[in-house]
Amino acid sequence: MSKPHVLITCAVFPETIARLQRHFEVESNQDDAEWSPAELIRRLQGKQGAFTTGSVRIDEALLAACPDLKICANMAVGYNNFDVDAMARHGVTATNAPDVLTETTADFGFALLMATARRITESEHFLRRGEWKKWRYDMFAGAEIHGATLGILGMGRIGQGIARRGALGFGMNVIYHNRSRLDPALEAECRARYVGKEELLKSADHLVLVLPYSPSSHHAIGAAELAQMKPTATLVNIARGGIVDDAALAEALRNGTIAAAGLDVFEGEPTVLPALLTVPNVVLTPHIASATIPTRRAMAELAADNLVSFFEGKGPITPVLPAQGATK
Ligand code: 8YV
């Protein structure tokens, strides 16, 4: 029996390719070439499976042009690069990579919060520029972390991980807002109190965004929301670009509406709004929240496991709704 054909759309661990080659005819992209939508469609001809990342868009036009495709396995927990309704219509299964990155990503969210609140990169740049001439009582004075109020918008697994770190590690008062409230036992375990969005914005000393991107979360934090925050507050976005209105944020950072921001994700990334590059009170990282080798390995392995399980007829391991179980 001939093996299914799979396209790996990005550079991955050599062992991931080797594993997939045991099961499939594989075309890979170890040069990490930037493929246009037309090039991606061309390469997907005759392929039944695709190994994707969060930057590979799977939409109606692509699906209509790739009739052989049966499954796309994302090496990411977020899947806003998938038009899941279109995938369901075309009978293409979508899978993501949840759980394996939760703690690593929560660690990074906390690291970014601390770097932002304690002005770590801003002060490092000052030092590297040779501007450190003497000690001063208020030099790079930042915001307290321990005992402060930590606000979390989006209380899924990663949000819960951040809540635990804040409450248990730093004695923070944790408040959160989410589409739905956690059950009381989980709330108690995370030591987090549910509040409305307005109270979250007004009360948080540090606000961390961990909600998925969807049309309804587009610009969930814009000029109006930033204006409700404390002028001493920090904002951290490890969720998705587009949840924050980056132009409004650059303006808010410049005029002191809020004190500082830490951003791992951007609207239109990898392009970053030039206005953000010139404000000093923002820590910028290139979408690396899940970037540790063990975690990236686990993400790649789960994406590969999904492809193997699917083509062995056992079904996808971590399907994404609403295309759950949809097969061709
Ligand atoms: C990925 C992420 O690195 O999992 C996610 O949703 O944002 C990151 O962990 C990125 O999406 C590449 O696939």
Side-chain angles (χ1 to χ4, degrees):
M1 211 176 74
S2 69
K3 292 174 174 177
H5 290 247
V6 162
L7 178 68
I8 305 177
T9 63
C10 54
V12 281
F13 295 99
E15 54 269 38
T16 306
I17 300 179
R19 160 113 199 273
L20 292 172
Q21 279 169 337
R22 289 199 286 278
H23 299 267
F24 309 117
E25 293 296 337
V26 174
E27 179 181 342
S28 59
N29 181 14
Q30 281 308 75
D31 295 338
D32 226 5
E34 199 63 48
W35 290 336
S36 65
E39 177 68 6
L40 180 60
I41 287 172
R42 191 181 72 71
R43 290 183 184 266
L44 280 171
Q45 297 310 301
K47 306 286 192 314
Q48 289 80 42
F51 181 109
T52 55
T53 64
S55 40
V56 175
R57 180 96 194 117
I58 303 294
D59 58 13
E60 175 59 42
L62 179 140
L63 293 161
C66 300
D68 299 316
L69 197 60
K70 293 185 168 68
I71 178 170
C72 295
N74 228 21
M75 184 186 151
V77 64
Y79 51 87
N80 56 303
N81 56 311
F82 288 166
D83 179 340
V84 282
D85 294 328
M87 290 174 82
R89 277 198 304 277
H90 285 268
V92 174
T93 294
T95 67
N96 68 341
D99 300 322
V100 290
L101 47 55
T102 300
E103 298 302 328
T104 299
T105 304
D107 284 349
F108 186 86
F110 223 85
L112 195 52
L113 186 163
M114 295 183 81
T116 303
R118 297 303 307 271
R119 305 175 66 179
I120 287 178
T121 56
E122 192 186 349
S123 62
E124 185 185 348
H125 290 152
F126 165 88
L127 180 152
R128 285 177 188 270
R129 286 193 305 268
E131 290 176 23
W132 183 24
K133 303 295 181 208
K134 62 181 172 84
W135 183 90
R136 216 191 114 85
Y137 75 98
D138 61 349
M139 189 168 74
F140 293 105
E144 289 302 7
I145 296 166
H146 71 274
T149 295
L150 170 62
I152 301 174
L153 185 57
M155 198 61 159
R157 290 161 285 214
I158 298 169
Q160 292 162 31
I162 290 171
R164 287 190 193 96
R165 281 160 179 75
L168 305 175
F170 291 83
M172 298 176 90
N173 164 36
V174 181
I175 54 178
Y176 76 97
H177 183 72
N178 195 41
R179 269 173 313 182
S180 50
R181 198 173 161 168
L182 298 184
D183 75 58
L186 196 49
E187 245 181 31
E189 194 213 312
C190 295
R191 293 180 170 64
R193 184 167 63 84
Y194 182 83
V195 296
K197 186 175 172 188
E198 200 177 318
E199 186 180 341
L200 185 83
L201 294 168
K202 285 193 170 137
S203 306
D205 295 312
H206 308 287
L207 178 60
V208 183
L209 309 179
V210 213
L211 66 169
Y213 181 82
S214 69
S216 62
S217 63
H218 182 76
H219 287 186
I221 302 293
E225 289 75 19
L226 291 161
Q228 291 180 68
M229 292 175 68
K230 295 180 183 180
T232 50
T234 62
L235 175 72
V236 171
N237 187 8
I238 56 164
R240 276 291 180 271
I243 291 175
V244 174
D245 177 344
D246 285 351
L249 176 62
E251 182 63 25
L253 290 167
R254 204 175 281 289
N255 65 25
T257 306
I258 64 168
L263 305 174
D264 187 49
V265 289
F266 304 87
E267 285 189 285
E269 66 184 52
T271 303
V272 176
L273 187 75
L276 281 175
L277 298 174
T278 55
V279 277
N281 45 343
V282 61
V283 180
L284 306 169
T285 52
H287 202 147
I288 57 166
S290 66
T292 67
I293 294 297
T295 292
R296 287 282 165 86
R297 266 192 220 289
M299 292 163 71
E301 207 164 299
L302 182 51
D305 286 347
N306 269 297
L307 289 167
V308 172
S309 176
F310 177 85
F311 284 109
E312 282 179 346
K314 298 177 190 156
I317 300 164
T318 49
V320 153
L321 295 169
Q324 187 161 27
T327 51
K328 256 184 160 163

